[in-house]
Amino acid sequence: MHAHSFVNSGCYLNTPVEIGRYGLLGPKVAIVGRDHLFNLPGTPIIFGGRPHELLTRIGADAWIGYGAIIMEGVEVGDGAIVAAGAVVTKDVPPYTVWGGVPARMIRRRFDDLESKEHQAMLDGPVVDGEKCRSKI
């Protein structure tokens, strides 16, 4: 975990995970592995073993919503958002919003110029501020 990253209650991380600065995991997010090998003829699944674990990366300023499931080895790019309840089976590009089962891109978070401006902030020094303050 990097500076100002946050893992909410009830999360289940069953694989190596890196969370970039300002990354947020909502409640009950699950990051799960491929679990058991099931393609070994003559071997019951329970005795098949498990494949090598892959690193799952949640980028800087990425937000994973309530109850989302992220599969092992997936990379959620910087500034991306994964909607509540989504099941992510492939990489999520930076600054995109994904949702659904399986997850698909819904829209971009910023236009190209805004993405570059935001990335410059993420690549700079760590910014401190008041967390979750209402903007209304």
Side-chain angles (χ1 to χ4, degrees), residues 1-119:
M1 291 181 61
H2 294 264
H4 298 295
S5 57
F6 178 75
V7 176
N8 212 318
S9 63
C11 289
Y12 180 74
L13 310 179
N14 187 34
T15 184
V17 179
E18 177 183 354
I19 303 173
R21 65 167 96 157
Y22 320 113
L24 301 168
L25 299 188
K28 298 187 180 180
V29 167
I31 300 178
V32 297
R34 289 179 180 82
D35 287 331
H36 303 279
L37 295 174
F38 56 86
N39 57 351
L40 303 171
T43 303
I45 294 170
I46 197 165
F47 301 136
R50 294 174 186 245
H52 177 73
E53 292 182 321
L54 301 173
L55 176 67
T56 302
R57 182 179 177 277
I58 308 299
D61 195 38
W63 178 18
I64 313 301
Y66 180 97
I69 298 171
I70 312 291
M71 296 304 295
E72 174 189 42
V74 164
E75 181 167 339
V76 176
D78 289 348
I81 297 171
V82 173
V87 176
V88 180
T89 60
K90 59 186 176 181
D91 290 351
V92 173
Y95 303 110
T96 57
V97 178
W98 284 53
V101 178
R104 61 178 175 73
M105 189 174 105
I106 297 170
R107 67 182 190 90
R108 294 191 48 78
R109 181 176 169 195
F110 300 129
D111 65 30
D112 288 343
L113 183 59
E114 292 167 329
S115 293
K116 288 179 184 175
E117 178 184 341
H118 201 78
Q119 191 64 49

